[in-house]
Amino acid sequence: MAKRKEENFFSPENAKRPRQEELEDFDKDGDEDECTVSFTNGTSTLTAAEVGIIESIQLKNFMCHSMLGPFKFGSNVNFVVGNNGSGKSAVLTALIVGLGGKAVATNRGSSLKGFVKDGQSSADISITLRNRGDDAFKANVYGDSIVVQQHISMDGSRSYKLKSETGNVVSTRKEELIAILDHFNIQVDNPVSVLTQEMSKQFLQSKNEGDKYKFFMKATQLEQMKEDYSYIMETKERTKEQINQGEERLTELKRQCLEKEERFQSIAGLSTMKTNLEYLKHEMAWAVVNEIEKQLNAIRDNIKIGEERAARLDRKMEEQQVRLNEAEKNYKDIQDKLEKISQETNARAPECMALKADVTAKKRAYNEAEVLYNRSLNEYKALKKDDEQLCKRIEELKSTDQSLEPERLERQKKISWLKERVKALQDQENSVNQEIEQFQQAIEKDKEEYTRIKGEELDVKHILNYHQRQLKELKDSKTDRLKRFGPHVPALLEAIDDAYRRGHFTYKPIGPLGACIHLRDPELALAIESCLKGLLQAYCCHNHADERVLQALMKRFYLPGTSRPQIIVSEFRNEMYDVRHRAAYHPEFPTVLTALEIDNAVVANSLIDMRSIETVLLIKSNTVARAVMQSQKPPKNCREAFTADGDQVFAGRYYSSENTRPKFLSKDVDSEISDLEKEVENKKAQILNLQQHLSALEKDIKCNEELLKRCQVHYKELKMKIRKSISEIRELENIEEHPSVDIATLEDEAQENKSKMKMVEKNMEQQKENMEYLKSLKIEAENKYDAIKLKINQLSELADPLKDELNLADSEVDNQKRGKRHYEEKQKEHLDTLNKKKRELDMKEKELEEKMSQARQICPERIEVKKSASLLDKEINRLRQKIQAEHASHGDREEIMRQYQEARETYLNLDNKVRTLKRFIKLLEEIMTHRYKTYQQFRRCLTLRCKLYFDNLLSQRTYCGKMNFDHKNETLTISVQPGEGNKAAFNDMRALSGGERSFSTVCFILSLWSIAESPFRCLDEFDVYMDMVNRRIAMDMILKMADSQRFRQFILLTPQSMSSLPSSKLIRILRMSDPERGQTTLPFRPVTQEEEDDRS
């Protein structure tokens, strides 16, 4: 069917002008120029065809020819000339067959195998189509040419190869060839495009008006449209019958469906449950995959972090070794200095002790002499006073006359003297009493000092015993780490294992908790122990039944009255609590939870429950800890903090730790043992010094007690004298008559008193000399002692900083050793863990592949699952139990559900089909009504154009004619008047001569060419029945049309020589030599330029 309309090509103003593009040669040999010359007087310049024309054709073993071609055609007019049998018709037949036409369309055979040359197994056809310009078909794939190769087998089958310009095979499918032909609008079965010799003869000789009409319908493809419409109407009627049958069937199906639905309603819930069960199984399959993928991602992240951490550990190991070497060198230097000072101090220690003892002895001797001297001095003063009173009394008696009352006066004097004596004795009593108080205070002070030193000795002994026990436990823990948590712990754990194997526990208890945790930083060991305290020795149980069993086991190892480890009862969980929302956070300091490596979630959860370790910060420096917790607002969620010394810091309080070193969490056991051994030796030396001090205090107390007794005896004597004198005074005061005073007695008493004074004075002088001598000795001893003490103190002052430095250096060495061992252990442990994680990763990847394969078998399309596998498993089990219960109560629900589903599906499908068909019929009627009107209008336009072109072509020979289309009866009547229109009557074509009829037929064909589209036109022996005049006129008409349609290709086959054709580069004549007897290849010889020049 024509796709483009063409105007009358006889008038220049109406001539259709093809695309004015740059001309290209139709082949590589430059057989044609880009610009062409018109055959007529027209002056328009037209371009050559770009797509769809035949560039060349080649045949092999086709029909009776072994080899034909290759024939190269021009882009406009091509004449294939030759005698009968030269292969002209074979070329046209090959063109039809090679481009997919059927064998019957060639009128040369009914089957393809008839085209294979006798004696050969196959035939080959190669056709090259031009493919240039903007309308090219897949220009980037095929290039400027498309080569269509067809291979025909002896059994009648054929195959295609579609090649590009470069010879590469692009496709072997016939669909590709059909797409190419549709794109180029090539119709090999349309007689307007390809008019074979047989069809040409049949058409020229036919006198049936119906055949002419059919020829017109087929040439314009209106026949195909009509057949399509007829087929559509038949389909419509059949569809209406199906709708009627379907509606009758729907009534019955609806009744059956309602019956099945009543039964199904009772089991609809079961179907839903089974559907849910299947979906849960699908979710379960992919949930397992999701969990493994999460585990894989976690393992990969851990491995990546682990590898980074391994590199950091290597660097830290190197840094730690450097620090250890520096610390050991510093420790050795300080130790050498301190050793030198210690040797000098030890050399002076015996001399210092001896001088101290000498000072103590001389001080004691001086004190005793001083007491004796004071006692004699007091006695001398009392005697001197008595002597003065006696002398005064004697003088008074001598100088005074005898009075009337001599006795009274004498009594009064005696009383006065006695009173003065009592006063002197009382002064002595006070002095002695002061001495007694001094001695009592000294004794009391010494006893208090003795008690204090004795208590200190007991404390040191207690600490020594504790250190000795701890030292024994540490030595035992070298072979078994668990003994650090108590000597009975290994045996208790064995008993727990045995009880668990016997099934006494629901879950095996976990403990001691201190053995289940590991420090990330060894320097925080004391801080963590101060925080956790007794929890380090505690055990965890799943329930109270397990707790009772564990209590019974502990009674076997812990005696009554002794403390037992704490037991924590909490349900065991496999996942650690999520404490991110309530945990303390500080960018510089860790919490107890983050400072520990806890592999067991139960241990972590127990410590979180019992101690809230996620809220406790660890800050090494005491000053920094006070600043963080007290000088500013504490970090969010932080309740308290612990320092590296074990001190506990709150927002408003600070508690110092009683412990100086960790007991359970220290990993450097050898260092701990060494430190404890040094502590034990120090405590023993401290006890020895305390015992020596106690012995010296005992001696001082004994000496002071003897001096106290002497003073107490002297005090009693003075008391007795005072009481005696007071008694005498009372007696004298009570006597009414007094005897006469005897002066001689008083003089004797005075003389006796003076003798005593001289003795006391002499004794006092001796005691004073002795006291002065002892004082000089004491001062000399004190000076010597102070001198050597000063030297020792000076050495101690030098040694104390060095000791502090040595302790710090020793601590630093120990820390660095512990750090090194820590990093070595960490590195080994980390590498083992890393390798284990890698092996676990390989196993998990294999497991993931297996699980994904299983999941795809269950559910090919992956679905998103939000629930965990355990939860889905519980839901599946619950649903299965429910389905089993439903089955047990209602019988075979599957059969009922299947019957209902089948009935409902059948009903809905048929109902949907009927509805769809009704809509289709309605739409089809609307479309067909519109399209049939369009078809009639299109048919009317084509007939009018055909008549117009036919009249114009007949006028070339002053013929007149008319075409009468009877679409109802499907006839075409052509009437032609050879002479002038007003002098002769119209004659039917059957009344015309052969040449006139051939000329009229050519006009009819050219009219059809004008209204039908095709890139090329082929005519085989069109002038077979024409005389020379009509042939010449017909030829001019064809060439004129070709000149006006240079974008189309014309291939004309004729036995004539065509020597009378005008000379033009747009005309190509392909001359075929006459076949010779026995010839297998017919050569093609194109017209040379010399022949064309001679002919012109």
Side-chain angles (χ1 to χ4, degrees):
M1 184 171 57
K3 292 186 179 179
R4 293 180 296 193
K5 294 183 179 179
E6 297 178 6
E7 301 296 335
N8 191 345
F9 53 82
F10 298 102
S11 57
E13 63 275 10
N14 293 330
K16 180 176 180 180
R17 299 182 62 85
R19 295 180 298 272
Q20 297 297 317
E21 298 178 355
E22 186 176 325
L23 295 174
E24 296 181 357
D25 292 340
F26 80 99
D27 59 17
K28 306 284 184 179
D29 300 329
D31 292 331
E32 289 186 331
D33 295 332
E34 293 181 356
C35 295
T36 60
V37 182
S38 174
F39 301 126
T40 63
N41 294 327
T43 59
S44 63
T45 302
L46 303 174
T47 59
E50 292 182 334
V51 293
I53 67 172
I54 310 298
E55 288 189 347
S56 66
I57 185 169
Q58 184 176 3
L59 313 178
K60 180 180 179 182
N61 298 328
F62 189 76
M63 296 178 70
C64 59
H65 307 283
S66 298
M67 182 67 70
L68 282 178
F71 304 114
K72 293 188 177 180
F73 296 99
S75 61
N76 194 227
V77 180
N78 297 271
F79 287 96
V80 181
V81 299
N83 296 324
N84 292 332
S86 59
K88 301 188 300 300
S89 298
V91 173
L92 192 60
T93 302
L95 180 62
I96 297 172
V97 175
L99 294 180
K102 297 180 180 179
V104 295
T106 64
N107 293 320
R108 293 298 184 99
S110 60
S111 175
L112 290 176
K113 62 183 178 180
F115 296 121
V116 180
K117 184 180 178 183
D118 293 340
Q120 300 297 326
S121 61
S122 63
D124 293 290
I125 302 171
S126 177
I127 302 172
T128 303
L129 302 177
R130 180 169 294 183
N131 188 44
R132 303 180 185 176
D134 295 337
D135 292 334
F137 181 80
K138 297 182 182 178
N140 57 336
V141 177
Y142 288 99
D144 290 343
S145 299
I146 299 176
V147 180
V148 181
Q149 290 184 353
Q150 185 174 155
H151 180 77
I152 303 173
S153 301
M154 193 64 189
D155 58 358
S157 62
R158 59 181 171 185
S159 60
Y160 295 93
K161 284 186 180 179
L162 301 177
K163 296 184 177 180
S164 64
E165 180 186 16
T166 58
N168 296 327
V169 177
V170 178
S171 176
T172 58
R173 298 168 60 249
K174 186 176 181 181
E175 290 78 2
E176 181 81 0
L177 175 61
I178 293 172
I180 293 171
L181 298 178
D182 289 342
H183 184 79
F184 294 155
N185 198 25
I186 296 174
Q187 306 160 19
V188 293
D189 57 347
N190 191 333
V192 173
S193 296
V194 181
L195 188 60
T196 62
Q197 182 179 352
E198 295 299 326
M199 187 175 290
S200 176
K201 291 177 181 179
Q202 181 181 352
F203 179 69
L204 291 174
Q205 294 174 357
S206 175
K207 299 178 181 180
N208 190 340
E209 296 175 350
D211 292 339
K212 292 183 178 66
Y213 184 83
K214 289 180 180 179
F215 187 83
F216 167 78
M217 294 292 285
K218 187 172 184 181
T220 56
Q221 290 189 303
L222 290 172
E223 182 181 4
Q224 181 64 41
M225 293 177 65
K226 183 179 178 182
E227 291 176 356
D228 291 343
Y229 293 155
S230 299
Y231 175 76
I232 291 171
M233 298 308 293
E234 291 175 1
T235 304
K236 173 187 170 185
E237 294 302 323
R238 288 196 299 270
T239 304
K240 285 184 176 180
E241 293 179 2
Q242 292 179 2
I243 291 173
N244 294 331
Q245 294 174 0
E247 289 177 341
E248 294 176 358
R249 176 68 176 153
L250 271 176
T251 305
E252 178 63 22
L253 286 176
K254 187 175 183 180
R255 184 187 61 79
Q256 295 177 2
C257 185
L258 291 174
E259 292 178 356
K260 302 293 184 183
E261 186 176 9
E262 291 177 359
R263 298 184 63 192
F264 175 74
Q265 291 298 329
S266 61
I267 61 165
L270 181 61
S271 176
T272 303
M273 285 190 289
K274 289 188 176 181
T275 302
N276 292 339
L277 179 61
E278 288 301 317
Y279 186 75
L280 286 175
K281 289 179 179 178
H282 294 175
E283 284 189 328
M284 181 67 178
W286 289 108
V288 173
V289 172
N290 288 345
E291 290 186 357
I292 296 176
E293 286 178 343
K294 290 179 182 177
Q295 295 172 4
L296 266 178
N297 293 332
I299 293 172
R300 290 193 184 101
D301 293 341
N302 289 338
I303 289 175
K304 183 178 179 181
I305 295 171
E307 290 175 346
E308 295 174 355
R309 188 180 177 193
R312 290 199 301 271
L313 286 174
D314 291 337
R315 292 194 296 272
K316 287 185 178 180
M317 278 285 294
E318 295 174 358
E319 296 171 358
Q320 192 69 29
Q321 184 63 44
V322 172
R323 289 196 292 268
L324 177 60
N325 295 338
E326 293 176 353
E328 288 178 344
K329 183 177 181 302
N330 185 36
Y331 177 81
K332 189 175 184 307
D333 293 342
I334 298 171
Q335 193 177 33
D336 293 340
K337 293 179 182 178
L338 192 62
E339 185 66 26
K340 185 177 179 181
I341 294 173
S342 178
Q343 289 175 358
E344 189 174 353
T345 304
N346 292 335
R348 297 178 184 273
E351 185 181 358
C352 181
M353 294 292 290
L355 288 174
K356 183 179 180 181
D358 185 50
V359 167
T360 303
K362 288 181 178 179
K363 188 183 290 186
R364 188 180 300 112
Y366 171 75
N367 291 334
E368 292 175 356
E370 186 179 17
V371 169
L372 293 175
Y373 173 76
N374 290 331
R375 189 182 301 161
S376 298
L377 180 62
N378 292 330
E379 186 179 0
Y380 177 78
K381 288 178 179 180
L383 290 173
K384 188 176 181 180
K385 196 171 185 179
D386 291 344
D387 181 66
E388 291 175 353
Q389 290 177 353
L390 287 171
C391 290
K392 187 177 180 181
R393 177 66 179 164
I394 290 171
E395 288 176 357
E396 289 177 352
L397 289 175
K398 286 181 178 183
S399 60
T400 305
D401 292 332
Q402 292 292 328
S403 62
L404 295 176
E405 299 178 344
E407 293 180 357
R408 182 178 61 81
L409 295 173
E410 185 68 22
R411 283 198 307 274
Q412 290 179 349
K413 291 180 180 180
K414 183 74 179 282
I415 289 169
S416 298
W417 179 78
L418 286 173
K419 287 182 178 179
E420 291 176 355
R421 186 181 179 185
V422 168
K423 185 179 179 182
L425 289 173
Q426 286 177 344
D427 292 337
Q428 290 184 15
E429 180 188 17
N430 292 334
S431 177
V432 172
N433 190 33
Q434 289 178 356
E435 291 181 359
I436 289 172
E437 290 178 358
Q438 289 177 354
F439 284 121
Q440 287 177 343
Q441 289 177 358
I443 292 170
E444 187 68 21
K445 183 177 180 181
D446 287 340
K447 285 184 178 180
E448 290 176 358
E449 180 70 9
Y450 183 89
T451 303
R452 184 183 67 79
I453 299 299
K454 194 70 176 176
E456 187 176 348
E457 181 189 21
L458 292 175
D459 293 338
V460 174
K461 284 183 178 179
H462 178 72
I463 294 172
L464 176 62
N465 293 334
Y466 174 77
H467 284 340
Q468 287 175 338
R469 289 196 306 271
Q470 194 174 5
L471 181 62
K472 183 177 182 301
E473 291 175 359
L474 282 174
K475 288 181 178 179
D476 292 340
S477 70
K478 290 182 68 176
T479 56
D480 189 348
R481 180 173 177 268
L482 293 173
K483 287 187 177 181
R484 299 188 71 173
F485 300 92
H488 306 300
V489 170
L492 175 60
L493 292 179
E494 289 181 1
I496 290 173
D497 291 338
D498 183 65
Y500 178 70
R501 285 193 296 270
R502 295 173 182 270
H504 296 167
F505 290 106
T506 307
Y507 289 93
K508 180 182 174 182
I510 299 173
L513 299 185
C516 303
I517 61 176
H518 305 282
L519 302 179
R520 299 181 186 273
D521 188 351
E523 294 179 3
L524 298 174
L526 182 57
I528 294 175
E529 281 196 13
S530 300
C531 175
L532 300 181
K533 297 182 180 177
L535 290 175
L536 294 171
Q537 296 176 280
Y539 292 78
C540 294
C541 287
H542 177 66
N543 51 37
H544 291 288
D546 291 349
E547 178 197 16
R548 289 191 291 272
V549 176
L550 183 58
Q551 289 281 15
L553 292 177
M554 286 184 176
K555 288 181 181 178
R556 292 159 47 186
F557 300 96
Y558 295 92
L559 297 175
T562 58
S563 62
R564 297 180 187 176
Q566 181 181 357
I567 299 177
I568 303 168
V569 180
S570 178
E571 183 180 358
F572 287 6
R573 297 179 55 176
N574 295 327
E575 296 179 357
M576 194 177 79
Y577 296 148
D578 184 4
V579 295
R580 289 175 291 183
H581 63 284
R582 64 184 184 190
Y585 172 76
H586 195 280
E588 298 179 20
F589 309 115
T591 62
V592 177
L593 179 60
T594 57
L596 294 175
E597 290 183 356
I598 309 176
D599 297 329
N600 195 318
V602 175
V603 176
N605 294 339
S606 298
L607 294 177
I608 290 171
D609 290 336
M610 301 298 295
R611 192 61 182 85
S612 300
I613 59 175
E614 77 279 6
T615 65
V616 182
L617 285 180
L618 299 177
I619 306 172
K620 293 182 180 180
S621 172
N622 299 349
T623 306
V624 176
R626 287 180 182 272
V628 171
M629 297 298 295
Q630 297 177 353
S631 299
Q632 54 191 351
K633 184 179 180 180
K636 183 181 179 181
N637 297 331
C638 179
R639 298 191 305 106
E640 57 187 304
F642 283 86
T643 69
D645 297 331
D647 298 345
Q648 189 176 15
V649 187
F650 291 92
R653 293 167 292 163
Y654 188 97
Y655 299 103
S656 298
S657 173
E658 298 178 356
N659 299 322
T660 58
R661 61 168 53 85
K663 178 180 179 182
F664 303 105
L665 300 180
S666 175
K667 290 189 175 181
D668 192 355
V669 179
D670 293 334
S671 176
E672 289 291 325
I673 291 174
S674 177
D675 293 340
L676 277 176
E677 287 176 346
K678 291 179 182 178
E679 285 289 335
V680 168
E681 293 300 324
N682 290 337
K683 293 302 177 185
K684 287 182 178 179
Q686 189 176 354
I687 290 173
L688 181 61
N689 292 333
L690 291 173
Q691 288 175 346
Q692 291 176 354
H693 194 184
L694 287 173
S695 177
L697 286 173
E698 286 177 353
K699 290 180 181 179
D700 289 342
I701 291 171
K702 188 175 181 181
C703 179
N704 289 330
E705 285 177 347
E706 290 177 359
L707 293 174
L708 178 63
K709 285 181 181 179
R710 292 178 187 177
C711 289
Q712 288 174 344
V713 170
H714 187 208
Y715 181 79
K716 288 179 180 179
E717 291 175 354
L718 290 174
K719 279 284 188 182
M720 290 177 67
K721 288 180 179 181
I722 290 170
R723 284 196 298 270
K724 185 177 178 182
S725 296
I726 292 173
S727 177
E728 289 177 0
I729 291 170
R730 288 174 179 172
E731 288 177 359
L732 290 172
E733 288 177 345
N734 293 329
I735 294 175
E736 294 179 357
E737 293 181 356
H738 303 281
S740 60
V741 179
D742 190 356
I743 297 175
T745 303
L746 294 175
E747 288 179 345
D748 293 339
E749 187 175 351
Q751 188 64 34
E752 183 180 357
N753 191 42
K754 286 183 179 180
S755 299
K756 287 183 179 179
M757 284 178 61
K758 289 181 179 179
M759 290 177 62
V760 170
E761 184 178 6
K762 183 179 180 181
N763 189 23
M764 187 175 64
E765 290 178 353
Q766 292 177 352
Q767 289 176 350
K768 184 176 181 181
E769 291 176 356
N770 186 36
M771 185 179 69
E772 293 294 332
Y773 173 72
L774 291 175
K775 183 177 180 180
S776 63
L777 292 177
K778 183 186 74 134
I779 292 172
E780 182 181 0
E782 286 178 346
N783 291 335
K784 289 180 181 180
Y785 176 72
D786 290 341
I788 195 167
K789 186 70 175 177
L790 178 63
K791 291 181 180 179
I792 291 175
N793 290 338
Q794 289 175 349
L795 292 174
S796 298
E797 290 176 357
L798 295 175
D800 288 341
L802 289 176
K803 285 180 180 179
D804 294 338
E805 292 181 10
L806 184 66
N807 290 334
L808 292 174
D810 185 43
S811 176
E812 181 66 19
V813 170
D814 292 340
N815 289 339
Q816 299 304 330
K817 286 181 179 179
R818 285 195 297 271
K820 182 182 178 183
R821 284 193 293 271
H822 166 73
Y823 286 123
E824 288 175 349
E825 293 173 0
K826 276 291 179 186
Q827 188 180 41
K828 182 178 180 300
E829 181 180 352
H830 180 66
L831 290 176
D832 293 341
T833 304
L834 187 60
N835 293 329
K836 182 179 177 182
K837 289 289 183 184
K838 289 181 178 178
R839 292 192 297 270
E840 184 180 358
L841 177 63
D842 295 336
M843 294 174 62
K844 283 292 180 184
E845 286 177 346
K846 293 179 181 178
E847 184 181 357
L848 178 62
E849 291 177 1
E850 295 176 0
K851 294 299 182 182
M852 287 191 74
S853 177
Q854 294 174 4
R856 288 193 183 99
Q857 292 176 0
I858 297 172
C859 179
E861 292 294 331
R862 183 162 186 170
I863 56 179
E864 182 179 357
V865 183
K866 296 182 179 179
K867 298 180 181 179
S868 63
S870 59
L871 182 60
L872 288 171
D873 186 55
K874 291 179 181 178
E875 291 185 6
I876 288 172
N877 292 332
R878 178 178 55 78
L879 203 54
R880 280 177 176 164
Q881 293 174 359
K882 194 171 181 180
I883 290 172
Q884 290 175 358
E886 289 291 327
H887 270 300
S889 60
H890 294 88
D892 188 5
R893 298 177 178 271
E894 292 292 335
E895 181 63 23
I896 296 172
M897 186 171 63
R898 185 186 61 80
Q899 291 176 1
Y900 169 69
Q901 291 290 348
E902 289 179 355
R904 186 171 180 272
E905 185 177 353
T906 302
Y907 171 76
L908 292 177
N909 289 341
L910 184 57
D911 183 61
N912 185 47
K913 185 177 180 181
V914 170
R915 292 174 184 273
T916 303
L917 290 175
K918 286 182 177 180
R919 289 194 300 269
F920 171 72
I921 291 297
K922 183 179 179 181
L923 181 62
L924 184 61
E925 288 175 347
E926 295 175 357
I927 292 173
M928 288 305 297
T929 301
H930 174 71
R931 289 182 68 88
Y932 190 68
K933 290 179 180 179
T934 305
Y935 164 75
Q936 289 177 327
Q937 184 180 359
F938 183 61
R939 185 178 62 185
R940 188 180 305 112
C941 291
L942 289 179
T943 55
L944 289 175
R945 290 179 63 197
C946 186
K947 289 178 181 181
L948 176 60
Y949 288 127
F950 185 69
D951 291 340
N952 287 332
L953 290 170
L954 287 178
S955 66
Q956 299 294 314
R957 288 194 63 189
T958 65
Y959 281 22
C960 294
K962 62 179 180 180
M963 302 176 72
N964 183 19
F965 289 90
D966 186 355
H967 297 299
K968 183 176 181 181
N969 296 319
E970 296 183 353
T971 59
L972 172 56
T973 303
I974 300 176
S975 301
V976 179
Q977 183 183 16
E980 295 183 2
N982 53 0
K983 293 183 180 180
F986 287 98
N987 296 323
D988 187 81
M989 286 187 66
R990 290 174 289 185
L992 299 176
S993 64
E996 292 172 347
R997 188 166 61 251
S998 296
F999 173 74
S1000 300
T1001 303
V1002 169
C1003 293
F1004 177 55
I1005 292 173
L1006 292 179
S1007 300
L1008 294 178
W1009 277 5
S1010 299
I1011 64 174
E1013 282 287 335
S1014 181
F1016 58 82
R1017 322 284 198 189
C1018 297
L1019 285 179
D1020 188 7
E1021 297 189 5
F1022 63 93
D1023 55 350
V1024 64
Y1025 296 112
M1026 292 184 186
D1027 55 18
M1028 291 304 293
V1029 177
N1030 288 320
R1031 183 179 294 115
R1032 180 64 183 179
I1033 295 172
M1035 187 60 64
D1036 289 340
M1037 293 169 63
I1038 292 173
L1039 292 177
K1040 189 174 182 179
M1041 175 176 281
D1043 181 52
S1044 65
Q1045 299 181 8
R1046 295 186 186 177
F1047 51 87
R1048 286 199 179 90
Q1049 186 182 45
F1050 297 85
I1051 301 174
L1052 307 174
L1053 286 70
T1054 178
Q1056 306 298 325
S1057 62
M1058 295 292 120
S1059 58
S1060 61
L1061 290 175
S1063 175
S1064 174
K1065 293 184 178 180
L1066 291 180
I1067 299 175
R1068 172 165 293 195
I1069 300 175
L1070 308 178
R1071 297 188 184 277
M1072 303 184 70
S1073 301
D1074 294 336
E1076 298 179 0
R1077 187 177 298 275
Q1079 179 176 298
T1080 58
T1081 302
L1082 296 176
F1084 156 67
R1085 182 173 61 86
V1087 176
T1088 63
Q1089 187 66 36
E1090 292 79 3
E1091 291 176 336
E1092 290 185 356
D1093 294 341
D1094 294 342
R1095 189 172 62 213
S1096 61

